[in-house]
Amino acid sequence: MRIRSIIGAAAVAIATATPAAAHGVGEKATPHFEQAIPNIPGKSLIAVVVDYAPGGASPPHIHAKSAFIFGYVLSGEIESQVNDGPKRVFRAGESFYETPGSRHPVSRNASRAKPAKLLAVFVVDSDDKELTTPVK
């Protein structure tokens, strides 16, 4: 696995060089797929599964300026806020998206009793190295 795909996997949380490592409190991002898009030169598709323990959360972060992100809740309920939009709870089977350069101040399990799981799919410039940066 290339180091960029490992860093890309952390794009939902905080960039790290270790796959499946915890990033926030009760949150783990695991890489599942990375592939250059052959008919869109310079673009890649990266898929990451984010597991949230009950009450788990990702730290506030921003995404790469090129990253278009599709989020799909696999199980449980995820509370999310993108940029200055409203906080919203998404349930299993629901989805949302983030436009390039978005700020993600809230991404967390909406439940303190049950785990939640999110699939994040990124379309990003293939040479982007820092896909997620923590908000200071």
Side-chain angles (χ1 to χ4, degrees), residues 15-87:
T16 183
T18 307
H23 303 99
V25 177
E27 175 254 354
K28 178 177 74 170
T30 305
H32 278 274
F33 181 84
E34 179 182 1
Q35 180 65 50
I37 303 173
N39 62 336
I40 308 175
K43 293 291 186 181
S44 291
L45 186 79
I46 299 171
V48 179
V49 172
V50 182
D51 288 284
Y52 289 101
S58 300
H61 54 277
I62 57 172
H63 292 291
K65 290 185 180 190
S66 72
F68 180 88
I69 303 158
F70 169 75
Y72 181 81
V73 180
L74 297 168
S75 64
E77 298 179 343
I78 304 289
E79 183 176 20
S80 181
Q81 180 184 21
V82 178
N83 297 319
D84 295 324
K87 291 180 188 174

Side-chain angles (χ1 to χ4, degrees), residues 1-18:
M1 182 178 295
R2 295 182 356 222
I3 189 69
R4 196 177 89 51
S5 66
I6 294 170
I7 292 171
V12 181
I14 292 179
T16 183
T18 307

Side-chain angles (χ1 to χ4, degrees), residues 4 7-8 15 19-20 31 44 53 62 75 90 96 104 109 115 119 122 132-133:
R4 196 177 89 51
I7 292 171
S44 291
I62 57 172
S75 64
F90 296 89
F96 60 92
H104 204 169
N109 187 339
L119 171 66
F122 295 76
T132 298
T133 304

